[in-house]
Amino acid sequence: MHEMSLCESVVGLVEEEARKGGFSKVRTVVLELGALGHVEPEAMLFCFEAVGRGTIVEGARLDIVRVPGAGWCLDCGKTVPLTERFGACPDCGRHRVQMTAGDELRLKELEVE
Ligand SMILES: [Zn+2]
């Protein structure tokens, strides 16, 4: 389950922010998660709690914001929505679409005390 190591890096990022920002208690962690990445939100929630025990995020809420997939269609010359990683363009039906969004795993916001 790679969500475990992803959560470890998230906790690492929060600890880094805490050092810089001088806070020691986190209430909410807001994480952006791309819809096309291979990360299960439920697994992230579970791992976050497990990995967070005894760290700065213990007891904090993990708030996952899903980022919808999008890509740039070379044939249409515009951004189109993507529902799968190598999906076809919904307008022209071709597969010359480069993914531009949907793969993110980003620490978006921290609510601290
Ligand atoms: Zn197209």
Side-chain angles (χ1 to χ4, degrees), residues 72-78 80 88-94 96-97:
W72 177 260
C73 176
L74 292 172
D75 289 308
C76 299
K78 63 174 183 180
V80 294
C89 168
D91 282 1
C92 68
R94 298 195 204 181
R96 303 211 306 152
V97 183

Side-chain angles (χ1 to χ4, degrees), residues 44-91:
M44 281 301 278
L45 292 172
F46 173 79
C47 295
F48 183 76
E49 223 190 292
V51 170
R53 246 168 248 146
T55 75
I56 185 166
V57 302
E58 178 157 12
R61 194 164 61 94
L62 179 62
D63 215 346
I64 293 177
V65 179
R66 293 291 258 169
V67 180
W72 177 260
C73 176
L74 292 172
D75 289 308
C76 299
K78 63 174 183 180
T79 297
V80 294
L82 265 190
T83 51
E84 52 184 321
R85 195 168 269 264
F86 298 106
C89 168
D91 282 1

Side-chain angles (χ1 to χ4, degrees), residues 1-21:
M1 191 156 37
H2 70 308
E3 279 85 0
M4 207 56 112
S5 57
L6 290 175
C7 280
E8 277 167 6
S9 42
V10 170
V11 171
L13 283 174
V14 175
E15 282 173 339
E16 203 180 304
E17 288 299 315
R19 257 197 311 277
K20 279 191 278 184

